[in-house]
Structures are given as structure tokens and as C-alpha cells.
Amino acid sequence: MKYKKTAPIGVFDSGVGGLTVAREIMRNLPHEKIVYFGDTARVPYGSKSKETILRYSRQIVRFLQTQEVKAIVVACNTASALALETISEEIDIPIIGVVKPGAKVAAQTTRNKKIGLIGTRATVKSDLYRKTIQAENPEIEVIGQPCPLFVPLVEEGWLKDPVTIEVAKRYLAPLLEKDIDTLILGCTHYPLLRSTLKTLVGDEVTLVNPAYETAKELQRLLKEQGMENEIHVDEEFPYRFFVSDEEECFQEFANSILPYNVKRTEQINIEEF
């Protein structure tokens, strides 16, 4: 199916974390419009089964299709790991996730072939990062570390709080003991902790932000498919935001991290899709 170049990009996440991906798209693809959906009623995804994540993701994709998006970004590591492959075979819209772009850059970045991965339990358990990295270079060792407390700490706004620093130290200790030289921020919330994490791991460890790498991958995809929007976006609302619950909390968080003033967020019943 052929879509208009001026059609928006669909972006979805389990909640607010995917806004870090939307932020990178806004910065790197300023001519593109975005329809963002945050599944705030059913967050977190990281502790749910593959079957549940797949059902949720299908519902969200159906909603985004009603918005006539020309491409979809799964801005959630858990959904990228557990649902992306299946959904990509079910729809005729280009769809990418956040795992593979970050994994490929990490494989190219490491010098000592020891990569640390922090993420939700589901993302780490899925093993997709390791499989993708070792497809690039089978000699690379990937050491995963679930960090379930990071998401609530980020959403509380405790980015540099002593509690967050102490929790981060405990999560990172096993990875640093393994002498990693590259660390993948394998959850879309984690780029907001970047400066705190960088201080703790030091200059010898390179941080890989899949949100940025995904925006660059989207840019390449649109160019290859001849789908780039070359017209300057002058609409009042080039970026539209939808959630399944708590639109006011979402909007407040969005306005704290996006280079754009979110004036309106719409709540929808995602179970209808």
C-alpha cells in the first residue's frame, strides 16, 4: 500500500518511556509528523507474558492504522523483543523497533567484546539483544542486568536523587565486574538517566542509546522507501498524543522532556481495537 509522504509516523510505547524515541525523531526528522500512543492504562509491559504483549501491540497497531500512519516505530524494548517480528508479517506498513538499531551500534562500538545490557526483565529474558549482537559478531559476550526500579524512579522525576544513584550502583556493579566497555540503555526510560549512569560507569564505558539509533534507522528507512516528508510542517498540531489512561500525568511528563509544548493529549479506549 502506498502512503502519502506527508502522512505521520506512528510511535507507540507501554507508557511515557517512548517519548525519548519521539524526542529523537523530532530532533533528527523535523519535517515528519508524529502520532504517539502511550498505553498508560496497562503499563508496565516488562513483567507481562509474550502473549499479552502481542495482544496489546496488535490493538495499538490497529489504532495507529486508523490514523493513516505511513510507518510505525515500536518505541518499547519489551514489545520490540516480543511482538515486532510477528506484527511485521501481519501488516503492510514499514515497522521498526528499538532493539536492533541499538544492538547493531553496540556490536560496532565494543572494543573488548564485552557488552552490558540493562532493561526490563522481559527484554533481558527475551535474549533478542544478545542474538542480534552475536549475529553481527559471535565472539561478543552480552551480560544482561534487569533494572526494574529504574522506570518508577524516572517517572517520579528522581533522575539524580541519592536513592537512584544507590540503586544504579547496585545494578551496575555486576556488569562493571565483568569489565564491559559498552552499555546498552535497553529501556526507553533509561536515556533520561544517562548523565547519572555515565558518572557511575566512567569514561571507559560507552553508552548506547537505542532511542537515538532508532531515529536514525527510521530516517534511513524513509529515504530508502522514498517516503520522506519534504514539506515543512506548519500545522498547529504536527505531533498528536493519545493514551489509554491518565492523560494529565502523561502530558505533564511529556512537557518535561520534549522540545515541544504538548497542549493536548487524548484518552482513548484501546480495548476497542
Side-chain angles (χ1 to χ4, degrees):
M1 189 179 292
K2 198 72 176 172
Y3 287 85
K4 292 181 182 176
K5 289 186 175 184
T6 54
I9 306 295
V11 180
F12 81 85
D13 180 51
S14 58
V16 299
L19 290 168
T20 60
V21 179
R23 178 173 67 176
E24 295 297 344
I25 295 172
M26 291 174 184
R27 287 172 174 168
N28 291 279
L29 291 82
H31 286 7
E32 299 296 343
K33 294 182 282 187
I34 295 172
V35 175
Y36 182 98
F37 177 79
D39 199 2
T40 45
R42 304 185 295 196
V43 68
Y45 280 12
S47 57
K48 293 181 172 66
S49 68
K50 180 174 181 175
E51 291 71 24
T52 297
I53 299 302
L54 186 54
R55 179 169 66 85
Y56 289 177
S57 299
R58 281 176 171 145
Q59 289 175 328
I60 297 165
V61 166
R62 284 195 283 269
F63 163 69
L64 291 174
Q65 287 176 305
T66 68
Q67 303 300 303
E68 299 184 340
V69 298
K70 64 182 177 183
I72 294 175
V73 176
V74 185
C76 170
N77 281 267
T78 304
S80 294
L82 301 182
L84 177 62
E85 189 175 351
T86 301
I87 288 176
S88 66
E89 295 171 356
E90 298 174 346
I91 63 174
D92 58 3
I93 305 172
I95 182 168
I96 64 171
V98 288
V99 172
K100 291 185 178 179
K104 287 181 179 179
V105 168
Q108 295 160 6
T109 301
T110 184
R111 303 174 304 281
N112 70 359
K113 298 184 174 65
K114 292 182 180 180
I115 297 175
L117 163 68
I118 53 176
T120 66
R121 287 194 175 94
T123 297
V124 174
K125 186 180 176 184
S126 76
D127 223 19
L128 184 56
Y129 270 103
R130 183 189 64 77
K131 289 173 184 172
T132 306
I133 288 167
Q134 291 185 342
E136 298 281 317
N137 185 342
E139 294 181 3
I140 296 175
E141 181 184 3
V142 180
I143 304 107
Q145 174 63 57
C147 303
L149 292 176
F150 277 170
V151 169
L153 288 168
V154 167
E155 293 190 2
E156 198 62 42
W158 294 8
L159 303 184
K160 297 182 180 180
D161 190 90
V163 172
T164 306
I165 293 168
E166 188 57 39
V167 168
K169 282 179 181 176
R170 294 180 68 167
Y171 282 150
L172 294 172
L175 300 177
L176 296 175
E177 285 172 8
K178 296 274 187 153
D179 196 31
I180 62 164
D181 72 352
T182 304
L183 179 65
I184 301 171
L185 309 183
C187 171
T188 47
H189 282 73
Y190 298 1
L192 299 173
L193 294 171
R194 185 185 179 92
S195 62
T196 297
L197 296 172
K198 187 62 184 170
T199 301
L200 295 176
V201 300
D203 292 336
E204 293 303 306
V205 178
T206 302
L207 300 187
V208 173
N209 177 5
Y212 171 78
E213 304 304 339
T214 300
K216 300 305 285 184
E217 180 69 19
L218 174 64
Q219 194 171 35
R220 283 189 291 272
L221 172 70
L222 295 178
K223 192 169 187 176
E224 283 172 13
Q225 304 260 348
M227 294 168 62
E228 294 171 292
N229 184 20
E230 292 147 356
I231 302 167
H232 179 68
V233 177
D234 58 359
E235 297 176 21
E236 186 180 0
F237 299 108
Y239 308 127
R240 294 159 57 214
F241 299 88
F242 297 86
V243 293
S244 49
D245 197 17
E246 294 190 318
E247 64 268 34
E248 288 181 13
C249 292
F250 174 90
Q251 190 162 313
E252 185 179 335
F253 189 86
N255 280 323
S256 73
I257 69 166
L258 291 180
Y260 171 82
N261 184 27
V262 181
K263 296 178 181 176
R264 184 170 65 190
T265 302
E266 189 176 336
Q267 183 175 323
I268 62 166
N269 181 5
I270 195 64
E271 295 284 2
E272 291 179 350
F273 291 89

